[in-house]
Structures are given as C-alpha cells and as structure tokens.
Amino acid sequence: MAGELTLSPFLSDALVILGSAGIVIPVFARFRITPIIGFILIGVLVGPYGLGSLVERVPWLYHFTISNPDSLTPFADFGIVLLLFAIGLELSFNRLWEMRKLVFGLGALEVLISGSALALFVGMASGMSFTAALALGFALAFSSTAMVLPISGTRSPVGRAALSMLLFEDIMIVPIIFILGALAPNAADDGWSGIVATLWQGGLVIAVLLIAGRFALPRLFAQAARTKSPELFLSASLLVVIGASLATALVGLSPIVGALIAGLLIAETEYHTDVEVIMEPFKGLALGVFLITVGMSINLAEIGAQIGIITAAVVGVVVFKALVTGLLLRLMGARRGTAAETGLLMASPSETTLIVLAAATSALVLDQETARFWQTVTAIGLTITPLLAKLGAVLARRVDSAGNPAGDEDEAEIRTIIVGGGRVGRLIADMMRTHGKPYVMIDSNPDLVAAARADGYRATFGDAGRGDTLARLGVETAPAVVLTMDEPVLAQRLVGKLRRDYPDLLIVARARDPDHAAAMYRAGASHAVPETLEASLQLSEAVLVDIGVAMGPVIASIHAKRDEFREQLEREGGLSEKPLLKTSSLREREA
C-alpha cells in the first residue's frame, strides 16, 4: 500500500534501546542508583528469555523486544572499545610508566594465582580434563573493565589497583585464546607459531601507532579545532579510535589495545579534554547496549531450575576472587580498606570470561552444557557488580580507621581554572605562578593554546561552555574560576551555569563596561571587573596631573567617580553592598 510505513528490525531495536536509555538513566539517577543495573534489567525484560519469548503468542510485543540479539554484538563491542579509549585519555605515558610495577606485578599475580587456583578447585575438582579446567579457571579469573572502571575511576587507590589488574588482563586476552587453540584436541601444528607471529606483528603495529601518532595527531586535531566545527572534531576522534582499533585487530591483537594506545596518544596533546567531552555520549550509549546484551543472556527459567548450584557457583567465585585480590593488595602494602573494596569490586567474572568460554567451546576444550552454565554464572556476576561495589565501600569504611576508602593521595590537583588564554588570561596565570598557586588555562583557540604551552603555561584546549568540560578540569574542587574571554554573551551564560551547578564557587569575571559588569553580577559572578572603567580613570588621572591640576583633587575626583560606578553596579546588579572595583579601593574602606 502506498505510503505505508514499514518498521525494519533495525529501527525497532534502535527504538527499544533509545527508549530504554531515556527511561533508565533519569529514573535511576533520581534514586541515586547506578544505571548499570537498569540496563541489565532492561536486557532481561526485552531479551529472548523475557518478553521476546512471548512474541509468537502476542505479536505486538515485537515492537518492545530485541528481535535479533546477535545484531547488537558489534555495538556492544564498540562500547568496550570506547571505554578503553576513555581510559587512555585519563592516563598518560608517564603515569602508565609509573604504574608498571602494579600492572606487571599485581596484575600478573592476580591473573596467575586466581586462574590456577580456580582451575584446580572449580575445574579439576569437578572431574574436567586439565585443558578444560585451565580454560575455565583463567576465564573466571578475568574481571569486568566495562563494569569496574566506571565505578572506581582511575585516580583513587582503588581505581589505580583495579586499573593495573584490568590492563594486564586485557593484555593477556590474546595469548590465552591462542594457547587454548594450541591445546585443543584438533589443534594444528602451527598453534604456537601463530602466537609468535601475532606478537611480533602486534609489536610492529604498536610501534608504528606510537611514532605516527605523536607527529600526526596534534596536527590533525589542530586543523579540526580551527574549523570550530564540533562535527569535524567528532569525526577526527572517531577516525583515530576506530583506525587504531582496526590496526591492532588486523594482526590478531584485541581492538581494545589499539583504542587504549589512541587514548594515551591524545592524552599527551592539549585537545584531550575536548575529545573526552565530545566522545562521552557515544561511550555511555554503547556501554548501555553492552549491558543490555548481558541482560539478554540471562535465562530466568534456567536459573530457577538450577537455583541452588548456580547460587553456590556465583558465591564461590566471588568470595574466592575477593579473598585472593584483597590478600595480594595487603601483601603489596595497600590499606585494609583499599584491599577490601578492590577485592569485592574485582570479584565478579567479566565480559571477557564470555569471550574465553566461547573460544574454549569452539576449540572443543569445553562442552556446550558446561560453557552455558558458566555463562549464566558470569551474567549474574556482572549484574551484581554494582552491589558488590556498594558492599565494598561500606566494608572499607568499617575496616579502615581513616574512614576514607578511596584515599586522597592521588586526587586531582586543586587548581584555579582560567577560562581564556589571551593577554588577560596570561597575565593572571603569571600572577598565579608568582604566588605559587596552581592553575590551568583553557581556551577554544588551538593557536592560542599551542603558543601558551610553548611559552611554559599550563594550557589545554577545550570549549568551557560545552557539556562537562570544566567538571573534567576539577571545577568542583577549584578555589576559583576566572573568566577572561572577551565574549560578553558567552561569559554571562557561563557564569549563570556555573552558579547554578556550584553555588559556593568563587567566580571572577572580566566585563567590558559597567553595564556588562552589572549583568554579570545578576548572573551570579562573585566579582566582575569592567576593563574600560579602570583604563578610563587611569587615563584621566594621567592627563589631569600632566596639565597642571593638583594631585589631591584629581585623586579625590577619581575616587568619587569610582564610587559613583560602584553605586550603579550595586543598584543594577542587585547587590547587597558596593563591589570593589580595584585593589587600591581597599584604602577607601580603611579611611
């Protein structure tokens, strides 16, 4: 029929996902519950074991279910790629080098001890072959990057410990899968040679990415930034992360290795803050798709039929991994609270567990029934990860006498944020350095940022008015934000946004004239300094004295004129007292 609208399966699935995001995020945020649980529950509801099982009897449910769960897999994988890219953006090569002992010490011990012990107790105790037990043990040893890092972050002691173990696990994915293939009953003779080939080819690709990225990325993002086009900047960001991921995937390495390297390279440039902000929505939505796929794999009927053994398996794996991780952290000098919280946070199996189980099944190392049982255990473990994180935080507060499980020793530096990298911003930065006060300068002009960094200023590229750019610079703990840009409308809008989000923040703003200063005060500025006023008064003082007027009357008249403007600002800005327009006016208050 002409004009009839046909809803394709792809569009139907997209509507379900977007509708789920629109419901889950605000509802769970209102009750201060992580949306991770919400996305998993949505997956259970709309998946093949939920409402999807009723579609044949109730056809209209088709529009509220995922018709083809496998079609979501590429989007779920992309979510994990973007997560590792975001982790790279938060790190730097220097910080990663500082963590090398944690990554290859703590990370290696955690994987080897957990994997070997789980293989012994879970695998071989149930009568499996050595190869099958090894595959299952190391599969369960993995922890979820997609679940853990959004909860822990990467800067607290818990976040650093979790990140170091997860990075080593991500490195070990490919060797473990290759080893399973080499140990398989039907393995080819070149199994081990394939590992060697992948390692040298992967090393070559990583070296090319590191060398080419250091030279190409700053130029690429500088050109994108000059256009002032968010679309082009987004395209450049996606090009880098997808290109690096494909490069490592083509030689047999995991695509998340390429994504992590891309993030690390961009983290060394002045554009990393803006890239973080512009990629955040894509990462959040793609991770939401991944979580929905986890929920869709949970078969409630199957769980009900084996509730006892499944519960025992989940509890056994979680308790064992928590104890191993916690004890390792204590042996390496971590505080009791940090060890307890990290142990519980890392206790669940991972999305990587599902990958290793699938590889072991395809290599005939594990039988289908065993793999399906542990896939169910893994899905439940992923679902309860946020609850384990809450339990870990509570336990950490109880066992740690300091009462601060996250610690403060590596929190982001508390610094004043200077918005604008022109002559005024530079002068303020000079005064901050003179008095030993930390600061960071942000500007959306890449040439100004590059020039400032070349001259030794702490400057970064970013649009202060976009999203949570200032939040990523630490505005929540900043002693002050100074607005120096000569853009009245943008400055006034930014002042209003900052005052709404941070009622106690000190906001010092540059204003063009007294009228603009009054508008800035009304918007919420703590101090607004009209640049034309002071320049005009100083010019008047110079010319009057030089043409013969006595200094005393000149200063008195300037003070009177300044006081007149202060009264005007008090009246038009709705202030409770007259604002100070310059430091020297303090003498008026002392008189």
Side-chain angles (χ1 to χ4, degrees), residues 376-416:
T376 301
V377 171
T378 300
I380 295 172
L382 285 167
T383 305
I384 65 173
T385 299
L387 303 178
L388 292 174
K390 291 285 187 185
L391 177 61
V394 172
L395 182 61
R397 284 194 293 269
R398 288 180 177 271
V399 302
D400 199 330
S401 59
N404 181 9
D408 297 322
E409 57 262 41
D410 196 38
E411 290 297 317
E413 183 182 16
I414 297 176
R415 57 196 179 177
T416 296

Side-chain angles (χ1 to χ4, degrees), residues 87-98:
I87 292 168
L89 288 173
E90 293 184 13
L91 293 172
S92 66
F93 284 106
N94 289 336
R95 187 173 173 220
L96 197 58
W97 179 251
E98 291 172 359

Side-chain angles (χ1 to χ4, degrees), residues 78 108 231 331 438:
F78 188 53
E231 294 82 6
L331 290 173

Side-chain angles (χ1 to χ4, degrees), residues 179-195:
I179 290 170
L180 287 176
L183 294 176
N186 59 347
D189 295 334
D190 61 349
W192 293 103
S193 63
I195 299 175

Side-chain angles (χ1 to χ4, degrees), residues 149-408:
L149 290 182
I151 295 172
S152 70
T154 62
R155 295 194 173 275
S156 68
V158 171
R160 281 202 313 274
L163 176 63
S164 63
M165 289 182 278
L166 291 168
L167 283 177
F168 188 81
E169 289 177 7
D170 291 336
I171 293 170
M172 289 299 294
I173 293 173
V174 174
I176 286 176
I177 291 176
F178 267 105
I179 290 170
L180 287 176
L183 294 176
N186 59 347
D189 295 334
D190 61 349
W192 293 103
S193 63
I195 299 175
V196 176
T198 297
L199 290 178
W200 77 259
Q201 291 174 4
L204 181 62
V205 166
I206 290 172
V208 170
L209 287 175
L210 293 176
I211 295 170
R214 282 191 176 276
F215 291 99
L217 291 185
R219 291 169 174 79
L220 172 66
F221 283 102
Q223 292 298 325
R226 288 190 184 98
T227 65
K228 302 289 185 181
S229 169
E231 294 82 6
L232 186 58
F233 206 86
L234 173 61
S235 299
S237 303
L238 289 172
L239 172 66
V240 170
V241 64
I242 294 174
S245 300
L246 287 176
T248 54
L250 286 174
V251 296
L253 293 179
S254 172
I256 63 179
V257 175
L260 179 66
I261 292 171
L264 287 168
L265 288 168
I266 295 176
E268 300 293 324
T269 72
E270 59 266 35
Y271 305 103
H272 64 94
T273 301
D274 228 38
V275 173
E276 280 186 85
V277 172
I278 206 167
M279 294 292 287
E280 183 65 28
F282 292 89
K283 184 193 78 174
L285 186 59
L287 275 177
V289 174
F290 162 74
L291 296 170
I292 289 174
T293 62
V294 171
M296 289 192 299
S297 68
I298 296 177
N299 186 341
L300 295 179
E302 187 176 302
I303 292 173
Q306 306 180 68
I307 187 66
I309 190 171
I310 288 177
T311 301
V314 172
V315 172
V317 170
V318 166
V319 170
F320 181 82
K321 288 183 66 179
L323 288 173
V324 169
T325 304
L327 288 173
L328 284 175
L329 283 167
R330 285 294 289 159
L331 290 173
M332 297 191 75
R335 294 183 312 181
R336 290 181 299 169
T338 300
E341 184 174 0
T342 308
L344 281 169
L345 186 62
M346 298 284 290
S348 294
S350 161
E351 63 278 358
T352 308
T353 302
L354 302 175
I355 296 173
V356 176
L357 289 174
T361 305
S362 63
L364 303 180
V365 173
L366 279 178
D367 61 83
Q368 292 280 355
E369 185 178 350
T370 301
R372 188 163 53 249
F373 174 83
W374 287 105
Q375 284 167 351
T376 301
V377 171
T378 300
I380 295 172
L382 285 167
T383 305
I384 65 173
T385 299
L387 303 178
L388 292 174
K390 291 285 187 185
L391 177 61
V394 172
L395 182 61
R397 284 194 293 269
R398 288 180 177 271
V399 302
D400 199 330
S401 59
N404 181 9
D408 297 322

